[in-house]
Amino acid sequence: MSESPIFEGILSDARLKAEKVIEKAHKEAGDILKEAEDKAEKTREEERKNTKMRLDALSLKEESAVRSLERLRELKNNDAAYNAVQKEVDAYFDSYFLKDESRSTLIAWIAEAAYGLGYRQAKVAYSPKEKVDESMLRQAEKLLMDKTGFQVTLQLDDAPVSGWGVQLSSLDGKVYFNNQLDVRLRRMAKDIKKIIQENTCKAE
């Protein structure tokens, strides 16, 4: 028995509507899927960028840490070398200032300190271990006069100082010029460290 034309028309319309609904559903599903894929790709790209930034930051931190460690090692090496040089210098002068040849050095240091002090009269303090006497003061006065034209009268100070070298002061003791070995070495510390650093770099 064949379907009636009316029934077949209704069925045909239903099929068309169903196909359109299915087609629309497929399209919507495809749009949703594409949007989800786009969002997923965007998320992945952002994650890749964030990961790269984190890795770059870690790399910079690592490089900075390595540089800091190298600098710390360099400073420790330089400090160790400087301390070694300091010990050698101390040992040398401990022996040197007990010898008569140290007189010429002390005369020069007295003249230098007198010029630095700038007073016409000054007292010269020195270590009891050093062989400083009046004749050395006269030689220092003459050396200063010959070299600079500055005239000064020096006298020995009753109060001794510890350590090698001399310290000159005004007669009232209010102004002084320290020209002892440890002070002179501190003045030269920057130059000594520079020489050590240059030689350390060459050795490496």
Side-chain angles (χ1 to χ4, degrees):
M1 181 177 177
S2 61
E3 302 291 349
S4 68
I6 295 174
F7 181 77
E8 289 180 357
I10 293 172
L11 187 59
S12 177
D13 288 341
R15 287 196 190 99
L16 289 173
K17 287 181 181 180
E19 288 174 358
K20 288 181 180 180
V21 169
I22 292 172
E23 183 181 351
K24 183 180 179 182
H26 277 301
K27 184 177 182 304
E28 290 178 351
D31 292 342
I32 292 171
L33 182 60
K34 186 176 184 308
E35 183 180 357
E37 289 176 348
D38 290 343
K39 286 183 179 179
E41 179 60 30
K42 185 178 180 181
T43 300
R44 285 194 294 269
E45 183 62 28
E46 289 178 353
E47 186 59 32
R48 280 195 291 268
K49 288 181 180 179
N50 291 336
T51 300
K52 185 177 184 303
M53 289 175 63
R54 288 195 292 269
L55 289 174
D56 289 344
L58 287 173
S59 179
L60 289 174
K61 287 182 179 179
E62 182 182 6
E63 290 175 4
S64 177
V66 169
R67 284 196 299 269
S68 297
L69 287 172
E70 289 177 349
R71 180 59 179 160
L72 182 61
R73 184 188 66 180
E74 179 183 343
L75 290 174
K76 286 184 177 179
N77 289 341
N78 289 342
D79 286 344
Y82 181 80
N83 291 334
V85 170
Q86 182 73 48
K87 287 182 180 179
E88 291 291 331
V89 169
D90 290 342
Y92 172 80
F93 281 108
D94 282 344
S95 172
Y96 176 77
F97 277 109
L98 296 177
K99 301 176 183 177
D100 289 337
E101 61 191 81
S102 68
R103 289 172 62 89
S104 60
T105 298
L106 288 170
I107 290 168
W109 287 12
I110 292 169
E112 183 182 86
Y115 187 76
L117 184 66
Y119 278 62
R120 294 295 180 180
Q121 292 180 302
K123 297 184 295 183
V124 180
Y126 58 97
S127 168
K129 296 179 182 179
E130 294 169 339
K131 302 173 182 179
V132 179
D133 54 36
E134 290 285 349
S135 68
M136 292 171 65
L137 302 190
R138 304 292 81 81
Q139 292 179 65
E141 292 169 356
K142 184 176 184 307
L143 176 63
L144 190 56
M145 185 66 181
D146 293 343
K147 292 291 184 180
T148 67
F150 183 77
Q151 186 174 4
V152 64
T153 301
L154 302 172
Q155 66 184 57
L156 295 175
D157 195 335
D158 294 333
V161 294
S162 59
W164 303 118
V166 295
Q167 177 174 290
L168 271 67
S169 62
S170 56
L171 296 183
D172 59 10
K174 293 182 178 180
V175 182
Y176 68 91
F177 188 100
N178 192 325
N179 211 18
Q180 293 182 268
L181 177 63
D182 59 339
V183 174
R184 292 177 68 90
L185 289 176
R186 283 201 296 273
R187 291 177 193 147
M188 298 172 61
K190 186 176 180 180
D191 294 329
I192 295 172
K193 288 181 178 180
K194 183 179 179 181
I195 293 171
I196 291 172
Q197 186 175 6
E198 289 173 350
N199 282 276
T200 301
C201 291
K202 288 179 182 178
E204 291 177 353

